[in-house]
Amino acid sequence: MNPSDSPTSAATTQATAPLLESRDLHVRYGAINALNGVSLRVMPGQIVSLIGANGAGKTTLLKTISALHRAKTGDILYNGESIRNLAPHEIVRRGLCHVPEGRMVFANLTVQENLQMGAYLLTDRKVVAQELDYVFTTFPRLKERLHQMSGTLSGGEQQMLAIGRALMGKPRFLMLDEPSLGIAPLLVKAIFEKIVQINREHGITILLVEQNANLALEIAHHAYVMETGVIALKGESRELRANPDVKAAYLGGR
Amino acid sequence: MSQFLQQLINGLALGSIYALIALGYTMVYGVLRFINFAHSDVLMLGAFAAYFLNPSIERTFGPQSIPGALLVVLLSALICAALGILIEILAYRPLRNRPKLTVLITAIGVSLFIEYTCQHRSVFRAETRPFPNLFPSRDFQWLGLAVNSNDLVVLAATAVLLTALWFIVQRTKTGTAMRAVAFNPQAAALMGININRVISFTFGLGSALAAIAGILYALKARGIEPLMGVTPGLRAFTAAVLGGIGNLPGAALGGFVLGALETFAGGIPAISNYRDGIAFALLILILLFRPAGLLGKPQTEKV
Ligand SMILES: Nc1ncnc2c1ncn2[C@@H]1O[C@H](COP(=O)(O)OP(=O)(O)OP(=O)(O)O)[C@@H](O)[C@H]1O
Ligand SMILES: [Mg+2]
């Protein structure tokens, strides 16, 4: 479960240009500066973790990349193309999917309908069936709950649905915002294993926002530490795990 | 007993029309969380569209032919769908992220604008015009009841439209996207759903239903004028609230309940002058005990 131990993975060999890059992003909410010049790069095939305290601006960064918020200045490049002025659905069309904070499953829709919405842009039924198969092998629980209203799923099941729904869109790049939020530790472990599996088996590049820094650093190739709207530290996650400041602030001391 | 059945048929026919209009209010509320007051004017425009289309279509199909009438209805619905979409794009979309009160007041403004423009001498003028019988119409006796064939047209049209709407909303991808947008537009956008397109679709669908309801209303009233939408619009809006605003089956149910109440109260001579008062008093009572409406779920709405 530790990709940084396997330097021969696709991630490190083919990495030349970043798949996603934010350049000096500034984002405001009224008078509040939520992002103060955030630059970050994610290489294709990697898992990159973004950790930081509450209110650091992690969710804001993901929402800005997905165009749910607009940056005041700065640019966002995906696959070499600026996506800063695109609408959210145009960004999804390029294979950049986002599992939002708090899951946001459509509680008024069944599990099946949620998954169908995840595949909204896919027109080929065969591809949709393929993706559905993949989601069911990844999260067998969802198959059992297919006709249940999503609002009545447990928190863990809703998280599986949120991730499964994003996978239905056949993403090339997946952003996950706190998948461990409000979930029992054992299940968190299982979900993180799935995240690694998604990355390894399907070559999906992942940007992971997490409060649980231990786990986040364990599965990531690279990581960024965010503090009040700026990137405070970055590097290989191995290095960051050994960094005394990171240890003290995010990894529970020692 | 036959008196009761008679009123029931009248009530159902009137309620059908309210139901068709109420669905438009409730669908728009579902995706945008405001009341589109111009909806009642779209139904008036639907009736006028049919009025102006009918002569030329009669010339080809002959008077009161069923295919001709259906064509008139279909074209009017399409025209109004386009108008509804246009109203949203021009008036409401620029205010999408403004406070809902701003949008609500704009909606009232759009409504007044349409009403008074249409009353102008060079447009439709204010006076009532006789509305043609689009369908072959006759009165007949059935189990001792006096039935007008137009009432049957209204009931049949409503049954077909409610079924079609149910199918669209529950069984198609676009309908599912509508429900997704209604629940959480941001999450829907992250699925790759084009929110604006879904909103346009919603306005188009609601306006088409309103146009058909307007024609059916005109058939019953036998006349049309630019303010003809105001009363049924208000009743249908009430019906939507009664059923639980944002809830589709609720809007239909609310329409039938209100139509029946109004008809039954109107049928009792001692109270017939107070029929609106009685209908609304009952509405207030129901809302006192079920604030979210008959089928509405108690609000657990998050921002
Ligand atoms: N819609 C908003 N309006 C005003 N301020 C906001 C809004 N959303 C976020 N903020 C502010 O922006 C800052 C960054 O918030 P953000 O949600 O990005 O933090 P975060 O790093 O995701 O925190 P957490 O770990 O608690 O999820 C916070 O100070 C927050 O209060
Ligand atoms: Mg957050």
Side-chain angles (χ1 to χ4, degrees):
Chain A
M1 145 154 205
N2 193 339
S4 49
D5 291 342
S6 53
T8 49
S9 72
T12 34
T13 48
Q14 67 169 18
T16 44
L19 182 55
L20 180 90
E21 180 175 7
S22 80
R23 286 190 184 156
D24 197 29
L25 280 185
H26 285 78
V27 177
R28 307 176 61 107
Y29 295 108
I32 302 168
N33 281 319
L35 299 186
N36 269 316
V38 171
S39 300
L40 148 157
R41 304 169 129 221
V42 181
M43 291 297 172
Q46 290 205 335
I47 298 180
V48 170
S49 286
L50 177 62
I51 60 176
N54 290 114
K58 308 179 296 292
T59 298
T60 302
L61 176 63
L62 296 201
K63 283 187 164 182
T64 308
I65 293 170
S66 288
L68 296 179
H69 282 311
R70 291 291 170 194
K72 203 167 116 257
T73 58
D75 204 356
I76 304 161
L77 300 174
Y78 176 73
N79 207 11
E81 172 203 20
S82 171
I83 54 168
R84 197 190 146 191
N85 295 316
L86 297 182
H89 67 271
E90 295 170 317
I91 291 173
V92 178
R93 193 180 284 284
R94 284 165 173 71
L96 201 166
C97 296
H98 180 168
V99 181
E101 187 176 47
R103 308 186 272 265
M104 295 194 191
V105 300
F106 302 113
N108 59 335
L109 268 52
T110 63
V111 169
Q112 185 172 32
E113 288 170 334
N114 266 275
L115 294 174
Q116 185 193 1
M117 287 296 97
Y120 189 77
L121 292 174
L122 302 186
T123 43
D124 188 339
R125 276 172 188 232
K126 259 196 227 132
V127 180
V128 176
Q130 233 170 357
E131 293 305 301
L132 197 61
D133 235 33
Y134 171 44
V135 169
F136 287 158
T137 26
T138 313
F139 300 113
R141 185 76 67 87
L142 293 180
K143 193 171 185 174
E144 298 159 21
R145 302 293 156 110
L146 213 49
H147 300 291
Q148 191 170 330
M149 277 294 163
S150 310
T152 61
L153 293 176
S154 76
E157 289 165 347
Q158 288 193 14
Q159 187 62 61
M160 295 178 201
L161 178 56
I163 298 174
R165 188 177 65 173
L167 289 176
M168 287 300 295
K170 220 172 180 326
R172 199 175 150 200
F173 188 107
L174 190 61
M175 301 194 290
L176 298 155
D177 198 343
E178 298 206 32
S180 73
L181 198 73
I183 294 175
L186 212 63
L187 190 56
V188 170
K189 192 103 178 132
I191 285 184
F192 271 62
E193 273 163 19
K194 298 295 180 190
I195 294 172
V196 172
Q197 188 189 327
I198 289 164
N199 168 256
R200 286 246 184 107
E201 292 177 3
H202 292 263
I204 298 174
T205 308
I206 289 176
L207 176 57
L208 171 70
V209 163
E210 250 310 317
Q211 291 275 352
N212 188 333
N214 272 313
L215 268 178
L217 291 182
E218 196 183 321
I219 69 165
H221 301 90
H222 283 87
Y224 288 80
V225 179
M226 211 167 169
E227 271 167 24
T228 56
V230 294
I231 300 291
L233 278 171
K234 62 178 177 185
E236 285 190 22
S237 42
R238 210 177 348 204
E239 294 164 14
L240 286 179
R241 281 161 85 187
N243 180 315
D245 293 342
V246 174
K247 274 188 181 170
Y250 301 103
L251 301 178
R254 298 198 313 120
Chain B
M1 185 60 196
S2 78
Q3 166 82 6
F4 174 82
L5 278 178
Q6 183 79 59
Q7 296 293 10
L8 190 65
I9 291 180
N10 296 344
L12 277 179
L14 188 62
S16 295
I17 293 172
Y18 292 163
L20 292 178
I21 309 168
L23 284 163
Y25 281 109
T26 230
M27 281 195 287
V28 165
Y29 183 87
V31 291
L32 286 178
R33 298 291 189 272
F34 82 97
I35 303 299
N36 174 23
F37 283 107
H39 193 58
S40 61
D41 304 303
V42 173
L43 91 92
M44 173 271 292
L45 291 170
F48 270 92
Y51 176 87
F52 288 114
L53 284 169
N54 188 50
S56 52
I57 287 176
E58 267 194 350
R59 236 170 284 134
T60 6
F61 286 83
Q64 298 189 354
S65 81
I66 289 180
L70 290 178
L71 187 61
V72 169
V73 172
L74 182 71
L75 289 176
S76 308
L78 287 177
I79 290 171
C80 284
L83 282 172
I85 291 169
L86 206 64
I87 290 172
E88 190 273 326
I89 290 176
L90 294 179
Y92 305 144
R93 189 167 296 183
L95 304 174
R96 185 76 57 79
N97 299 316
R98 301 296 175 80
K100 290 300 170 223
L101 191 60
T102 312
V103 192
L104 214 59
I105 290 169
T106 305
I108 295 174
V110 172
S111 173
L112 293 174
F113 173 80
I114 296 176
E115 285 165 17
Y116 290 102
T117 306
C118 290
Q119 282 190 328
H120 192 270
R121 255 182 303 123
S122 58
V123 189
F124 300 154
R125 297 192 303 277
E127 74 263 15
T128 304
R129 305 162 182 241
F131 193 76
N133 249 323
L134 299 179
F135 294 90
S137 157
R138 61 194 184 91
D139 296 306
F140 55 90
Q141 294 286 321
W142 180 64
L143 302 175
L145 306 175
V147 183
N148 181 278
S149 57
N150 277 341
D151 284 341
L152 299 183
V153 168
V154 170
L155 292 176
T158 306
V160 170
L161 292 172
L162 291 185
T163 311
L165 184 71
W166 176 87
F167 183 82
I168 291 172
V169 172
Q170 293 296 329
R171 287 286 179 272
T172 67
K173 193 160 150 182
T174 307
T176 312
M178 250 173 90
R179 286 181 286 142
V181 170
F183 186 77
N184 186 334
Q186 285 208 339
L190 293 182
M191 301 297 105
I193 295 170
N194 183 341
I195 304 287
N196 282 334
R197 201 177 303 156
V198 170
I199 289 171
S200 288
F201 179 78
T202 307
F203 269 83
L205 197 58
S207 303
L209 290 178
I212 299 173
I215 295 170
L216 298 176
Y217 192 75
L219 281 176
K220 278 177 75 70
R222 292 166 198 260
I224 57 173
E225 46 97 13
L227 297 185
M228 67 175 272
V230 175
T231 308
L234 187 66
R235 300 256 167 76
F237 164 57
T238 311
V241 175
L242 177 65
I245 190 85
N247 181 304
L248 267 64
L253 178 66
F256 285 118
V257 169
L258 211 68
L261 275 179
E262 191 185 321
T263 309
F264 279 110
I268 303 169
I271 57 169
S272 67
N273 282 339
Y274 307 105
R275 59 184 195 177
D276 280 353
I278 290 163
F280 279 83
L282 256 163
L283 172 80
I284 292 168
L285 267 178
I286 292 173
L287 290 183
L288 267 179
F289 291 102
R290 287 195 63 92
L294 290 174
L295 300 187
K297 300 201 174 56
Q299 288 293 2
T300 47
E301 198 178 307
K302 18 156 229 28
V303 185

